[in-house]
């Protein structure tokens, strides 16, 4: 009996020690600027809150970079996707200090990353892909992942020719992770002037930075579902 008790106590302390080490290795976000905004994905309660913050902070940067005057989220998304697929997104010069803080937490979530790229086989990415609304895009995504061929260049053409990212919160979260935050894994932050980025955002924007630009009204979302595909989607004019 004593031997069994000692063994139980020993295992308990091993588990406690492992848990403490794991918690110390993962950073936490000091400020959630978008906590009062509508909820986004529902994949894992342990990380959903952070993913919500990551998406809204990304969208704030994107709007200030690609449509600072109109604040049209659909237009900004189209521009971002076109540039992201062509690998022409200047992440270093568009990210805010809050986005950097979010990234500092994201990068400690080791299961999310495979070296300097997003881990497409992580539980979170699997949840995002399982909830992609467009069936054709989801089929392409799943096929690339299942054959270990998934990367930004191969998925890009299918993404650019499909406008569902303008209304799919799970796909938007994937875009933020793979085409924005993952790019930060290789940046030299000593060479990035976040203060200049903040000043530029404030110059280009009259919105309150504590507020997330509103999502498209429901009637606009419905029009996307019922309207014909945009023959010019994915092209710059």
């Amino acid at each position: 009996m004593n031997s069994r008790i000692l063994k139980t106590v020993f295992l308990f302390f091993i588990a406690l020690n492992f848990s403490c080490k794991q918690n110390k290795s993962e950073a936490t976000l000091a400020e959630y600027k978008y906590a009062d905004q509508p909820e986004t994905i529902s994949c894992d309660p342990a990380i959903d809150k952070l993913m919500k913050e990551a998406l809204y902070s990304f969208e704030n940067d994107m709007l200030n970079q690609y449509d600072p005057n109109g604040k049209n989220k659909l237009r900004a998304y189209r521009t971002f996707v076109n540039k992201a697929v062509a690998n022409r997104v200047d992440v270093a010069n568009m990210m805010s200090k809050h986005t950097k803080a979010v990234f500092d937490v994201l990068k400690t979530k080791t299961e999310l990353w495979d070296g300097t790229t997003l881990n497409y086989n992580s539980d979170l990415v699997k949840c995002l892909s399982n909830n992609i609304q467009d069936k054709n895009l989801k089929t392409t995504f799943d096929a690339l992942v299942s054959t270990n061929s998934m990367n930004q260049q191969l998925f890009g053409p299918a993404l650019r020719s499909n406008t569902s990212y303008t209304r799919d919160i799970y796909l938007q979260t994937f875009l933020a992770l793979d085409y924005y935050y993952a790019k930060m894994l290789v940046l030299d932050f000593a060479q990035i002037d976040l203060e200049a980025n903040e000043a530029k955002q404030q110059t280009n924007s009259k919105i309150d930075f504590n507020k997330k630009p509103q999502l498209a009204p429901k009637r606009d979302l419905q029009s996307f579902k019922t309207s014909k595909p945009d023959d010019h989607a994915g092209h710059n004019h």
Side-chain angles (χ1 to χ4, degrees):
M1 177 65 69
N2 290 337
S3 176
R4 182 177 300 176
I5 292 175
L6 288 173
K7 183 177 180 181
T8 301
V9 171
F10 178 71
L11 291 174
F12 171 77
F13 278 108
I14 288 179
L16 182 63
N17 185 56
F18 175 78
S19 177
C20 289
K21 287 182 177 179
Q22 188 176 43
N23 289 337
K24 288 181 180 179
S25 66
E26 292 191 354
T28 56
L29 191 61
E31 178 188 14
Y32 285 85
K33 291 178 62 175
Y34 304 101
D36 62 340
Q37 297 304 313
E39 298 305 315
T40 56
I41 66 169
S42 180
C43 286
D44 181 353
I47 201 171
D48 285 348
K49 183 179 178 182
L50 178 62
M51 290 299 104
K52 171 184 171 179
E53 196 74 10
L55 176 59
Y56 286 161
S57 194
F58 154 67
E59 288 188 343
N60 183 70
D61 293 351
M62 179 182 66
L63 280 162
N64 278 283
Q65 183 76 5
Y66 297 123
D67 197 16
N69 297 318
K71 293 296 182 293
N72 185 309
K73 194 175 79 168
L74 304 186
R75 184 184 300 122
Y77 258 112
R78 288 191 176 108
T79 303
F80 174 81
V81 167
N82 284 331
K83 288 183 177 294
V85 170
N87 196 27
R88 291 191 291 113
V89 173
D90 192 354
V91 176
N93 288 321
M94 65 183 282
M95 63 188 296
S96 64
K97 288 192 290 186
H98 186 65
T99 295
K100 170 61 165 57
V102 172
F103 168 71
D104 285 340
V105 180
L106 284 174
K107 70 181 180 182
T108 68
K109 309 296 182 182
T110 55
E111 74 280 1
L112 277 180
W113 314 108
D114 183 7
T116 58
T117 62
L118 185 65
N119 178 9
Y120 300 115
N121 291 302
S122 65
D123 288 341
L124 177 64
V125 175
K126 287 178 181 177
C127 175
L128 297 179
S129 65
N130 286 339
N131 286 281
I132 290 177
Q133 295 176 5
D134 187 273
K135 293 183 178 179
N136 291 331
L137 197 62
K138 183 181 185 306
T139 297
T140 300
F141 188 105
D142 292 342
L144 290 172
V145 172
S146 66
T147 57
N148 293 318
S149 303
M150 182 64 174
N151 60 51
Q152 296 175 357
Q153 288 69 40
L154 290 179
F155 187 58
L159 184 64
R160 187 165 54 184
S161 64
N162 187 304
T163 60
S164 64
Y165 54 78
T166 61
R167 60 185 181 274
D168 185 340
I169 207 75
Y170 286 85
L171 187 55
Q172 289 168 356
T173 301
F174 171 77
L175 282 174
L177 285 174
D178 199 28
Y179 290 85
Y180 196 55
Y181 289 100
K183 298 290 188 181
M184 299 177 195
L185 293 168
V186 296
L187 292 180
D188 179 3
F189 284 96
Q191 304 299 318
I192 299 175
D193 190 344
L194 292 175
E195 293 293 341
N197 289 357
E198 288 286 326
K200 181 177 67 175
Q201 285 198 1
Q202 292 180 33
T203 299
N204 291 339
S205 174
K206 296 180 180 179
I207 66 169
D208 183 345
F209 281 92
N210 289 320
K211 294 181 179 179
K212 162 71 173 59
Q214 295 298 309
L215 298 174
K218 289 183 178 180
R219 60 179 179 274
D220 291 338
L221 297 182
Q222 184 63 33
S223 67
F224 273 115
K225 295 178 181 179
T226 58
S227 61
K228 294 181 180 179
D230 184 357
D231 293 334
H232 299 284
H235 295 282
N236 290 321
H237 295 284

